[in-house]
């Protein structure tokens, strides 16, 4: 197995490109794919200040690393979710990376700053943990970008993630979500610009990128993910990809090219009556946004719990 570029011994095969690469040329290929995605979808302009949402996992740390290597002014944002040891460890990986690259890391802690953790918040709001978590993260990313004056928020969604989300949305014909499933969402309605520069890279390539460039990341999955639908969709797509390399790529990029525009008007219509939340000022369709309602419900659940523990 020889590197496609320099004929030196290869360390990885990328089946959908039908190519093998040595360490140096594999890392370069990953950076090139990110640069290509940024250019193709007009994600970032020179001089933009970017806030990278980092979880301590391979995708977000690889993303931060590549954006810094490509010369972007990129700070990290870590949100502590209060999910036991998983959160403590993932925070340590995010901090260690920031120190290694001498980069700035903004930290928010749900339990310390908002008085709840994801398991408690989810129970109080009668939501699935990932739903309460996604809602909290989206709100806090937006708020941190506005507060810090960043031009864009970058998240580490890779091609496996996007293909799996697309698969789920198509299976249930969530047409409103399909209209928003784009690699870049421009700033509007009070929301900052959101970009996904890893959409051209597979999960496996991002794990290899971290290992080959010496980035330590949290390997365990979040314990709350066990049994969620998203993992099932990923497994189903992996089974297809194994016999038909490139399927995930064609599924996702074919959607962007041929179908996504059809769903945009519906998604846009949903956003027309947005106005500022009475509590926090974030854009919402109700009086109080879903995040502020979650904080309130989690807070009252916490008070009931405390009263129970200290009766009389
Ligand atoms: S962190 Fe949060 Fe994920 Fe854990 S609780 Fe679910 S959504 S699985 S990206
Ligand atoms: Zn090479
Ligand atoms: Zn609010």
């Amino acid at each position: 197995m020889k590197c496609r570029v320099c004929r030196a011994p290869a360390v990885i095969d990328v089946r959908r490109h039908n190519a093998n690469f040595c360490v140096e040329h594999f890392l370069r290929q990953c950076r090139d794919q990110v640069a290509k995605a940024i250019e193709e979808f007009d994600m970032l302009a020179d001089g933009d200040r970017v806030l990278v949402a980092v979880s301590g996992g391979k995708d977000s740390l690889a993303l931060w690393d590549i954006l810094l290597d490509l010369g972007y002014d990129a700070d990290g944002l870590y949100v502590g979710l209060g999910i036991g040891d998983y959160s403590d460890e993932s925070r340590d990986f995010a901090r260690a990376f920031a120190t290694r690259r001498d980069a700035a890391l903004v930290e928010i802690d749900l339990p310390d700053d908002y008085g709840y953790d994801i398991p408690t918040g989810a129970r109080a709001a009668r939501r699935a943990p990932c739903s309460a978590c996604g809602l909290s993260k989206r709100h806090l990313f937006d708020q941190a970008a506005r507060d810090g004056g960043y031009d864009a928020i970058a998240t580490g969604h890779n091609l496996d993630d996007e293909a799996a989300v697309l698969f789920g949305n198509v299976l249930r014909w969530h047409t409103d979500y399909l209209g928003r499933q784009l690699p870049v969402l421009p700033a509007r309605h009070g929301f900052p610009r959101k970009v996904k520069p890893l959409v051209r890279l597979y999960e496996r390539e991002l794990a290899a990128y971290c290992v080959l460039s010496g980035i330590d990341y949290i390997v365990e999955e979040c314990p709350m993910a066990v049994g969620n639908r998203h993992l099932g969709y990923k497994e189903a797509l992996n089974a297809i990809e194994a016999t038909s390399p490139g399927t995930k790529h064609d599924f996702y990029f074919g959607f962007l090219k041929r179908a996504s525009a059809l769903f945009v008007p519906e998604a846009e219509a949903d956003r027309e009556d947005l106005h500022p939340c009475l509590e926090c000022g974030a854009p919402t369709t109700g009086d109080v946004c879903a995040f502020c309602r979650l904080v309130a419900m989690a807070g009252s659940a916490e008070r009931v719990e405390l009263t129970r523990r200290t009766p009389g």
Side-chain angles (χ1 to χ4, degrees):
M1 202 163 97
K2 290 203 167 85
C3 171
R4 174 161 89 179
V5 184
C6 69
R7 313 306 296 161
V11 292
I12 185 164
D13 64 313
V14 180
R15 282 178 68 204
R16 74 180 186 292
H17 295 315
N18 208 5
N20 306 314
F21 294 99
C22 70
V23 174
E24 181 193 338
H25 290 118
F26 174 69
L27 298 180
R28 192 162 88 187
Q29 144 89 3
C30 292
R31 282 192 292 272
D32 288 351
Q33 291 295 329
V34 171
K36 188 172 171 181
I38 291 174
E39 200 193 320
E40 187 178 4
F41 299 106
D42 211 4
M43 292 182 181
L44 302 172
D46 287 347
D48 273 355
R49 290 185 63 233
V50 188
L51 188 60
V52 185
V54 290
S55 66
K58 62 186 182 326
D59 305 305
S60 54
L61 292 181
L63 170 62
W64 196 6
D65 196 58
I66 293 173
L67 289 178
L68 291 170
D69 283 346
L70 291 175
Y72 286 100
D73 180 358
D75 294 347
L77 167 64
Y78 176 81
V79 176
L81 303 167
I83 305 177
D85 293 346
Y86 170 77
S87 287
D88 296 339
E89 282 172 36
S90 55
R91 184 198 55 222
D92 292 346
F93 282 108
R95 283 183 183 169
F97 179 87
T99 306
R100 169 188 149 131
R101 292 288 321 232
D102 197 17
L105 179 67
V106 179
E107 291 191 35
I108 298 170
D109 191 70
L110 272 185
D112 284 354
D113 301 334
Y114 292 91
Y116 72 96
D117 54 37
I118 289 300
T120 313
R123 268 196 307 277
R126 296 178 198 278
R127 281 175 173 259
C130 291
S131 153
C133 179
L135 159 66
S136 305
K137 286 193 291 195
R138 278 193 301 278
H139 178 90
L140 295 169
F141 293 170
D142 289 350
Q143 193 181 59
R146 274 194 303 269
D147 291 352
Y150 292 92
D151 298 291
I153 298 168
T155 54
H157 297 95
N158 58 44
L159 187 44
D160 294 67
D161 295 322
E162 291 304 294
V165 170
L166 175 60
F167 192 34
N169 285 339
V170 167
L171 284 177
R172 294 198 157 66
W173 291 114
H174 286 311
T175 48
D176 48 341
Y177 291 152
L178 288 171
R180 279 198 289 272
Q181 210 198 330
L182 299 167
V184 55
L185 287 175
R188 57 211 302 194
H189 308 301
F191 292 105
R193 187 188 335 149
K194 306 222 174 78
V195 300
K196 298 175 182 172
L198 299 184
V199 287
R200 300 189 62 86
L201 290 168
Y202 277 27
E203 195 165 293
R204 166 180 179 268
E205 291 155 20
L206 289 156
Y209 178 91
C210 286
V211 171
L212 296 172
S213 45
I215 296 172
D216 287 328
Y217 61 90
I218 186 155
V219 177
E220 296 99 78
E221 294 283 337
C222 168
M224 304 273 146
V226 179
N228 80 9
R229 279 192 194 139
H230 187 69
L231 289 184
Y233 298 148
K234 274 191 172 176
E235 280 167 23
L237 289 174
N238 284 343
I240 301 170
E241 180 85 16
T243 52
S244 187
T247 300
K248 282 186 259 193
H249 175 278
D250 294 348
F251 179 48
Y252 178 64
F253 284 92
F255 162 74
L256 292 182
K257 201 167 156 203
R258 302 206 183 99
S260 65
L262 300 173
F263 303 104
V264 170
E266 182 183 342
E268 282 296 305
D270 277 1
R271 312 214 131 192
E272 257 159 25
D273 52 349
L274 288 171
H275 45 260
C277 163
L278 293 175
E279 299 275 333
C280 73
T284 177
T285 48
D287 290 338
V288 174
C289 77
F291 177 76
C292 288
R293 280 183 272 135
L294 174 61
V295 173
M297 280 187 271
S300 46
E302 187 80 358
R303 280 190 294 279
V304 170
E305 186 63 19
L306 275 175
T307 326
R308 241 190 247 134
R309 265 187 256 146
T310 49

